[in-house]
């Protein structure tokens, strides 16, 4: 059984089929790129995978479990974490709290234990802080841990979002345009970070990206979408020379 | 890490000592007659308002929803405790403890019953549905036999300054301790971004309901204290105006600031009593005040900051050392 298996996934908004008959299989340690022209339905696929939208057809199975009927938080518990195209940080909370919230599921103490500040509370909170700092260090954010998330510069906010996603110890990480708005050197740095994160946290990564430098540089396999469905898939070389893909981007 | 625990314990100790001192000062001035019965009543009323404001802040400031039915939950608690203490005769302390438990449980249950449908809605819609709930409660109370219609009299006075003071303190502690636990962070994350919170594994439906019902339960407990102190209940004291006044107190003090809520509840309860000539214009003054605050300090006086005694002491010490 494949690690992630998406079969014939689809959703329509009114009369518009945003995603239609989307199928995908992904291995346990794969780094897969999802590309396509604007409006192809890439982000909608992410929203379907994470339960933000309920699919009107098809199924998603992940790690041997059908997840297409679960709510978003349960899908996160099952091991899928994501970032958002338009950064969605907890803006008024500290950098540390942003990651702490993602570690919520790793703590077990009850509200009463928390209020009475019993030993379990301290132990688990300290463990959480330790892990949060560890993750922040990977992204070079530990010096800013007590700052408000909204006070970070844009590039660091993007990094914090990835850090937060890793907080829930996912097995699959969905990155929605991680390099959006970054310059060339920031993108190169991000590529290194992604490769590093993949090994360090041993997660599979599925990423949406328009930046071809990044996609062609780090993805082993690329899936191309247009009009809500897969039109091509293969290695970066195959995709670069595919007629269908060139047609989708530039027209016939 | 030990450091954090120590810091926390120091904070707790300082606040507790301060509270004990405050309690002693109040008690001494009541006993010696510096403050007469009228003022004692006023202070008890202020404490109950603090409890209501802090608990409302849990849903308004921390969860980021706008309910307008807090007086309804208070009414549920007040009548539950009033009826219980009047019909089941027990020693005062036992009776009060049971009444508090019963009324907060009743209000908690109402919170769940209202919350399940209402929390699917947001903003104005949630405000309207909870406003409706408050009015329904008031009308039910007005028409039931067991609640005595327009007034319910003869409730034994089990609550006094001492019990009200310490129960309010406990309630404030519970809510502020909750906020700095994983559950509190889950509640805050919903205010910040619901979709992102879900994506981080927070079951937002559960935590919304949790915060909302907990805040209702605290309002119920405040209602129980009110009933056991006032000894007479009238549905007219639980109108939507009351809910709105509590909301004003929260907004004025700062949404998401517990110390702000305490300060604004205290000021807004005591001020009208001292400016009794202006009592007629109270609501007018409130409205103007609110507009001014919204223009110049939209997050409330304290915003989401907290005043910390430990921090203040540390600061003063540092200054002295220099």
């Amino acid at each position: 059984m494949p690690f992630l298996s998406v079969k014939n996934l689809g959703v329509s908004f009114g009369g518009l089929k945003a995603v239609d008959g989307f199928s995908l299989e992904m291995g346990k340690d794969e780094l897969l790129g999802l590309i396509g022209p604007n409006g192809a339905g890439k982000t909608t696929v992410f929203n379907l995978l994470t339960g933000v939208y309920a699919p009107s057809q098809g199924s998603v199975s992940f790690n041997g479990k059908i997840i297409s009927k679960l709510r978003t938080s349960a899908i996160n518990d099952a091991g899928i974490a994501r970032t958002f195209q338009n950064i969605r940080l907890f803006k008024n909370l500290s950098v540390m709290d942003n990651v702490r919230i993602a570690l919520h599921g790793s703590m077990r103490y009850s509200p009463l234990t928390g209020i009475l500040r019993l030993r379990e509370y301290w132990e688990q909170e300290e463990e959480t802080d330790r892990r949060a700092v560890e993750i922040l260090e990977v992204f070079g954010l530990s010096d800013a841990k007590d700052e408000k998330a909204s006070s970070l510069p844009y590039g660091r906010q993007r990094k914090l979002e990835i850090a937060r996603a890793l907080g829930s110890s996912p097995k699959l990480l969905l990155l929605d345009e991680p390099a959006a708005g970054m310059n060339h050197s920031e993108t190169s740095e991000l590529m290194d970070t992604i490769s590093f994160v993949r090994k360090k946290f041993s997660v599979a990564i599925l990423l949406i990206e328009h930046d071809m430098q990044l996609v062609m540089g780090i993805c082993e396999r690329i899936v191309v979408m247009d009009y809500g469905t897969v039109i091509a898939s293969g290695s970066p070389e195959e995709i670069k020379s595919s007629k269908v893909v060139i047609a989708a981007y530039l027209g016939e | 890490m030990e450091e954090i625990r120590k810091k926390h314990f120091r904070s707790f100790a300082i606040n507790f000592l301060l509270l004990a001192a405050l309690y002693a000062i109040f008690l001494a001035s009541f006993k010696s007659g510096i403050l007469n019965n009228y003022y004692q009543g006023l202070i008890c009323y202020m404490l109950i308002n603090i409890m209501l404001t802090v608990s409302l802040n849990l849903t308004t400031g921390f969860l980021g929803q706008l309910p307008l039915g807090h007086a309804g939950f208070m009414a549920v608690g007040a009548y539950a405790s009033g009826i219980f203490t009047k019909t089941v005769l027990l020693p005062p302390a036992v009776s009060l403890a049971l009444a508090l438990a019963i009324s907060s449980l009743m209000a908690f249950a109402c919170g769940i019953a209202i919350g399940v449908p209402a929390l699917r809605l947001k903003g104005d819609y949630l405000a309207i549905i909870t406003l409706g709930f408050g009015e329904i409660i008031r009308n039910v109370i007005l028409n039931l036999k067991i609640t005595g219609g327009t007034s319910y009299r003869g409730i034994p006075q089990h609550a006094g300054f001492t019990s009200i003071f310490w129960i309010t303190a406990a309630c404030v502690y519970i809510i502020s301790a909750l906020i700095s636990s994983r559950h509190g962070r889950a509640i805050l994350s919903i205010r910040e971004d619901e979709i992102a919170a879900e994506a981080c594994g927070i079951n937002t439906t559960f935590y919304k309901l949790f915060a909302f019902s907990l805040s209702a339960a605290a309002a119920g407990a405040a209602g129980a204290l009110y009933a056991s102190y006032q000894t007479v209940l009238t549905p007219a004291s639980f109108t939507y105006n009351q809910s709105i006044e509590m909301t004003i107190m929260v907004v004025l003090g700062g949404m998401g600031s517990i110390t702000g809520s305490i300060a604004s509840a205290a000021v807004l309860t005591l001020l009208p009593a001292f400016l009794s000539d202006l009592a007629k214009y109270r609501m007018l003054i409130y409205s103007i005040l609110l507009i001014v605050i919204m223009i110049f300090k939209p997050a409330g006086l304290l915003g989401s900051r907290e005043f910390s005694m430990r921090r203040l002491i540390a600061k003063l010490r540092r200054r002295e050392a220099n």
Side-chain angles (χ1 to χ4, degrees), chain B residues 96-129:
Chain B
L96 182 65
L98 280 175
L100 277 168
I102 289 170
S103 45
S104 42
L105 273 177
M106 287 269 290
F108 187 76
C110 285
I112 291 176
I114 306 300
V116 168
L119 288 170
R120 289 164 181 269
L121 305 171
K122 279 189 191 113
D124 329 0
Y125 300 103
L126 179 68
I128 290 165
I129 194 172

Side-chain angles (χ1 to χ4, degrees), chain A residues 52 71-73 76-77 82 84 88-93 97 100-102 104 107-111 114-117 119 121-123 125-126 128-130 164 168, chain B residues 1-2 4-5 8 173-174 176-178 180-183 185-186 188-207 210 214 304:
Chain A
V52 175
R71 64 179 297 150
T72 306
S73 58
N76 180 271
D77 292 341
R82 70 173 290 183
F84 296 88
R88 282 178 174 272
L89 288 172
F90 305 126
K91 289 201 193 76
N92 296 311
L93 304 182
D97 272 341
R100 278 196 191 116
I101 286 166
H104 177 86
M107 288 180 271
R108 283 282 161 267
Y109 67 81
S110 69
I115 289 164
L116 296 177
R117 296 285 192 260
R119 212 186 55 208
Y121 167 87
W122 291 110
E123 282 170 3
E125 286 289 330
E126 278 162 15
T128 297
D129 283 5
R130 204 184 53 69
R164 184 181 66 183
S168 52
Chain B
M1 286 301 168
E2 275 300 306
I4 296 174
R5 278 192 220 191
H8 178 86
Y173 170 76
I174 288 172
S176 59
L178 180 81
S180 55
S181 73
R182 74 183 181 110
H183 309 283
R185 284 196 298 268
L188 285 170
S189 74
I190 294 171
R191 175 190 75 191
E192 293 294 313
D193 193 317
E194 220 177 307
I195 293 177
E198 269 285 333
C200 286
I202 309 287
N203 185 334
T204 52
T205 310
F206 172 81
Y207 279 103
F210 175 71
L214 203 67
S304 57

Side-chain angles (χ1 to χ4, degrees), chain A residues 36-58:
Chain A
N38 284 328
K42 304 179 295 291
T43 298
T44 310
V45 166
F46 269 26
N47 284 338
L48 288 169
L49 291 179
T50 53
V52 175
Y53 301 145
S56 44
Q57 64 176 57

